[in-house]
Amino acid sequence: MAETKPETVDVMDITVEFTGGLEMLFSNKRKHNISLPSKDASGAPANINFLVEYLCKHVMKDPRKDLFVLDDTVRPGILVLINEADWELEGEGEYAVQKGDNIIFVSTLHGG
Amino acid sequence: MADRIPALETQIRLLEARLRRLKGDLAEARKTAEASAQVYETLGPLSSSEKDLKLAIDGGFPDAWRTETLAALAQPVSPEAKQKKHWPLSQEEYRRYGRQMIMREVGLEGQLKLKRSRVLIVGLGGLGCPASAYLAGAGVGTLGLVDGDVVEDSNLHRQILHGTERVGMPKVLSAAEGIKSINPWVSCRTYESHLSAENVMETFLDYDLVIDCSDNPATRYLVSDACVVLGKPLVTASALRTEGQLMVLNYPPRPPGDTTGGPCYRCVFPRPPPADSIVTCGDGGVLGPVVGLMGVLQALEAIKVLTKTDPISKEAADGWAPTEPPSLTIFSAYSAPQFRSIRLRSRRAKCATCSVQATVTAESFTSGSLDYIQFCGAIHSVNLLSTWERMPARDYAAVRNRSADKETKGHVLIDVRERVQFDICHLDGSFNLPFSCLNSWPAPGTPGSESNEDSETQKLHHQLQQLIVRDPDEPVYVICRLGNDSQIAVKKFKELGFDNGGIKWIGDITGGLRAWKKDVDDGFPEY
């Protein structure tokens, strides 16, 4: 869906991974190389909230969006990890994504 | 006031038990201190080599040995004294644990700590079996086992303590037998019921550490809350399909409000996931070695915690000293790398259980104010279709009997299980349209809907359309494993307009293939 964003927008390359079953919502692919626009529609630097919105719009083909996003944030039971650390250590959704970042979305498992 | 009585009684009982244990520990500590003081007295002034020896001994010798050794140095050994010589472990135990005792990480001191430890294992399934087996092997003194289930055939591929001949037996009894055969020195206490808010305090009270091997979020929150309230470290893990997750929580187990304590399950997951987003091992599947590995890791983390804990001051929270910050270990069998360690947050400032503002307390368990099932949301059975859209398995069998080829001539049967399940077994003549494929079809009229589909999905979409429109009068039956997904699929077909505005009948087989086996063909495989 690259054609939906204007060619002039600066992008940064990041990797996004899905695990714990979330990959099933993303074409059964765990690792995605994403070229994320560096700024959101209002011109603010792209943060995790923007990334989540971007993933929903452009990467997720499964229509069951509520298994990924609920009440405008990542649904309960999903951990967001920024470069191997809990996103709560990095400022959660407000964290400004940097070029080369590795963002992992982990759905918690309950089986035992 | 009257309603506070049970809560106060519980609190008193818990405090009294804790006090009893503290007094016991104190008496033991006093006895040891007195004994070594006496020995030093009889030795008189120490020479420098004796001082060195004493220093070396103080560095890590167990008290029992210290007394023995110094006494042996103080006087010539008489035959009677030799007979009286008391070793802290039996001959068999030295042989049994030698391989781990000679390691710096354990040593005799660590072995004695393990022997004195009491560990509670919640759930004796795919995690609990290997976790308890390794802890029994390592010589943990007391293992408490909690589970209300009985052993089933479908458990055996991964729940290694339960043998084929023990199908039907309560899991805790089966596990206790397995543990005894691994190590008769372990004392097992069995709790043949599921953990509940009512019984959790009394069950946990006597243990030093809890291992969560359960299989549902409600129990995970319950176990974590109780561990925080009672000050027990918690080793929790979970597994599904090819992946596993592991965390050591509430470690160090400091009181609620102390921000230097380890985070609890609620700190990491303040809100439970929606009930319908949860996949069980029964639905999603699990590889035995994956869940087994996670259980083995739980035993390992427990051994690390137990051998490090100061046995005297363990009741005082300050006795705990973790060397690593809290982390989440993620295992993924089919990824490279397979293991990842993620740094976790510390205690949440507003955590309902472990913060200053905690609302979960010892009383709240017994007062009934905590409903974990409600908190996590009950999984309601799917009931989307009306009676006339559903057909019992027996009636569908009659439809097949009436058809010209005794299969699906004259109607369409769509099986919406995933392809891998369809390949295990299916009814002759059925067309496989995997539920995940159907789910990824966008609603009609969505812009760009066609380009969003991959070629496999497009092919299926096309085949299905051919099948459904080949005869406008042919009814369409939808079947799945249990009769839930089939209802959702029927709804979806109607949304997509496949029922031709209500002219074509589309409905599902009530109870799915399980009902087919039960009511029609008992030779049909059940997996």
Side-chain angles (χ1 to χ4, degrees):
Chain A
M1 302 293 284
E3 68 274 12
T4 58
K5 60 176 190 278
E7 288 303 316
T8 51
V9 169
D10 274 347
V11 295
M12 52 187 162
D13 290 334
I14 58 167
T15 51
V16 175
E17 292 181 63
F18 301 97
T19 174
L22 281 179
E23 67 280 4
M24 293 182 187
L25 300 177
F26 292 87
S27 318
N28 263 315
K29 208 172 124 193
R30 288 174 193 275
K31 199 166 181 172
H32 295 249
N33 296 312
I34 305 277
S35 296
L36 185 73
S38 355
K39 292 191 164 50
D40 67 15
S42 69
N47 59 18
I48 297 286
N49 291 332
F50 173 70
L51 170 68
V52 169
E53 193 187 311
Y54 181 89
L55 291 172
C56 270
K57 269 194 197 149
H58 303 292
V59 185
M60 187 176 183
K61 289 175 184 171
D62 198 293
R64 295 171 293 173
K65 308 281 181 207
D66 58 343
L67 288 181
F68 185 52
V69 173
L70 211 58
D71 304 329
D72 288 331
T73 184
V74 176
R75 82 152 160 76
I78 294 178
L79 277 183
V80 185
L81 308 169
I82 301 168
N83 300 325
E84 315 273 290
D86 190 335
W87 72 333
E88 305 206 18
L89 297 168
E90 309 287 345
E92 300 192 35
E94 304 302 325
Y95 169 83
V97 180
Q98 311 289 315
K99 181 171 175 262
D101 273 352
N102 174 241
I103 318 283
I104 314 178
F105 295 89
V106 186
S107 177
T108 53
L109 308 175
H110 295 283
Chain B
M1 258 337 256
D3 57 335
R4 290 198 60 209
I5 293 173
L8 287 169
E9 281 172 349
T10 314
Q11 210 176 2
I12 289 169
R13 211 166 55 240
L14 295 176
L15 284 171
E16 279 175 351
R18 182 168 286 192
L19 192 62
R20 267 200 306 281
R21 283 175 55 183
L22 272 175
K23 279 180 177 166
D25 288 346
L26 178 63
E28 205 177 301
R30 276 199 176 126
K31 223 165 72 191
T32 317
E34 265 171 38
S36 54
Q38 270 171 16
V39 171
Y40 287 131
E41 227 166 79
T42 56
L43 278 174
L46 296 174
S47 70
S48 73
S49 63
E50 281 169 336
K51 275 181 191 155
D52 284 349
L53 183 64
K54 179 177 175 292
L55 213 66
I57 288 169
D58 283 346
F61 242 39
D63 290 332
W65 266 31
R66 182 183 312 170
T67 314
E68 297 280 348
T69 314
L70 288 170
L73 282 172
Q75 52 207 280
V77 181
S78 65
E80 300 92 296
K82 219 172 193 174
Q83 273 175 4
K84 272 190 216 156
K85 189 158 182 74
H86 170 76
W87 296 94
L89 295 172
S90 70
Q91 294 297 309
E92 195 214 307
E93 287 174 295
Y94 282 104
R95 288 193 300 273
R96 179 183 280 268
Y97 306 125
R99 296 291 192 279
Q100 70 186 34
M101 259 198 293
I102 59 173
M103 299 195 335
R104 193 173 53 83
E105 288 81 359
V106 180
L108 177 66
E109 187 80 9
Q111 192 61 53
L112 293 174
K113 283 176 185 170
L114 288 174
K115 190 175 174 163
R116 284 194 292 264
S117 297
R118 293 151 297 186
V119 174
L120 186 75
I121 293 156
V122 179
L124 272 300
L127 295 167
C129 282
S132 56
Y134 274 96
L135 289 176
V140 167
T142 304
L143 287 177
L145 312 172
V146 188
D147 202 314
D149 285 337
V150 298
V151 180
E152 294 178 23
D153 284 322
S154 63
N155 302 149
L156 300 177
H157 85 288
R158 65 189 188 283
Q159 302 184 9
I160 51 158
L161 280 178
H162 311 311
T164 309
E165 70 288 353
R166 295 214 276 263
V167 169
M169 187 175 179
K171 283 186 178 178
V172 289
L173 301 183
S174 165
E177 270 189 24
I179 286 166
K180 281 281 164 204
S181 104
I182 291 172
N183 189 350
W185 297 87
V186 177
S187 144
C188 276
R189 291 190 217 158
T190 54
Y191 305 84
E192 208 185 311
S193 62
H194 289 296
L195 206 61
S196 67
E198 290 71 40
N199 64 24
V200 71
M201 287 283 112
E202 282 186 83
T203 311
F204 279 24
L205 189 62
D206 281 339
Y207 294 90
D208 304 307
L209 179 141
V210 177
I211 306 201
D212 185 355
C213 301
S214 68
D215 63 358
N216 63 85
T219 307
R220 291 185 186 280
Y221 281 100
L222 171 65
V223 167
S224 171
D225 285 354
C227 280
V228 172
V229 166
L230 291 172
K232 318 276 182 195
L234 167 64
V235 182
T236 186
S238 58
L240 185 71
R241 301 191 181 102
T242 61
E243 299 187 331
Q245 296 167 355
L246 169 83
M247 292 185 284
V248 180
L249 295 171
N250 196 39
Y251 182 62
R254 302 223 161 98
D258 184 338
T259 51
T260 63
C264 72
Y265 197 76
R266 277 188 205 263
C267 294
V268 186
F269 301 111
R271 290 167 62 204
D276 55 8
S277 73
I278 290 156
V279 184
T280 64
C281 290
D283 292 335
V286 65
L287 267 183
V290 170
V291 64
L293 176 64
M294 301 319 290
V296 172
L297 286 177
Q298 284 182 290
L300 174 62
E301 291 305 321
I303 288 171
K304 280 162 70 179
V305 170
L306 294 169
T307 52
K308 199 156 48 185
T309 308
D310 179 349
I312 303 300
S313 63
K314 69 179 158 199
E315 295 288 342
D318 291 333
W320 304 88
T323 50
E324 293 146 19
S327 68
L328 162 72
T329 302
I330 301 177
F331 173 75
S332 180
Y334 288 77
S335 302
Q338 288 180 314
F339 282 99
R340 281 185 124 120
S341 189
I342 307 297
R343 275 181 300 131
L344 283 179
R345 53 159 311 118
S346 49
R347 282 191 171 178
R348 188 178 287 271
K350 289 181 178 171
C351 178
T353 311
C354 69
S355 72
V356 211
Q357 307 175 23
T359 49
V360 177
T361 60
E363 298 83 66
S364 50
F365 288 100
T366 37
S367 69
S369 64
L370 290 169
D371 188 334
Y372 287 87
I373 306 291
Q374 193 197 17
F375 175 62
C376 293
I379 302 158
H380 15 73
S381 55
V382 181
N383 208 352
L384 288 173
L385 305 180
S386 48
T387 325
W388 62 269
E389 291 172 297
R390 312 205 72 188
M391 175 166 277
R394 261 201 209 93
D395 297 352
Y396 176 64
V399 170
R400 283 172 77 93
N401 268 329
R402 281 198 302 271
S403 91
D405 62 353
K406 304 288 179 201
E407 285 182 12
T408 56
K409 207 168 172 58
H411 69 272
V412 175
L413 177 63
I414 299 172
D415 189 328
V416 292
R417 291 173 301 150
E418 294 308 306
R419 173 58 50 88
V420 64
Q421 294 189 44
F422 183 83
D423 287 345
I424 295 171
C425 54
H426 58 259
L427 293 178
D428 291 336
S430 51
F431 174 80
N432 185 216
L433 175 71
F435 190 69
S436 60
C437 233
L438 179 64
N439 247 325
S440 64
W441 286 356
T446 309
S449 55
E450 287 300 318
S451 62
N452 250 350
E453 291 180 7
D454 55 45
S455 58
E456 178 64 13
T457 309
Q458 276 177 0
K459 205 174 96 193
L460 275 170
H461 202 158
H462 182 70
Q463 283 177 345
L464 182 77
Q465 261 164 342
Q466 295 271 306
L467 201 65
I468 285 183
V469 298
R470 78 179 174 202
D471 183 337
D473 294 330
E474 281 191 355
V476 175
Y477 299 89
V478 183
I479 197 163
C480 66
R481 191 176 175 191
L482 302 172
N484 294 327
D485 287 351
S486 57
Q487 297 184 54
I488 300 167
V490 167
K491 273 264 184 250
K492 180 104 183 181
F493 286 143
K494 293 189 178 181
E495 277 166 31
L496 292 169
F498 285 158
D499 63 341
N500 211 356
I503 295 170
K504 187 192 261 303
W505 185 88
I506 303 182
D508 84 327
I509 312 296
T510 318
L513 288 163
R514 178 173 287 180
W516 179 263
K517 179 186 175 65
K518 185 170 157 276
D519 298 334
V520 180
D521 176 9
D522 65 1
F524 195 80
E526 188 184 25
Y527 55 88

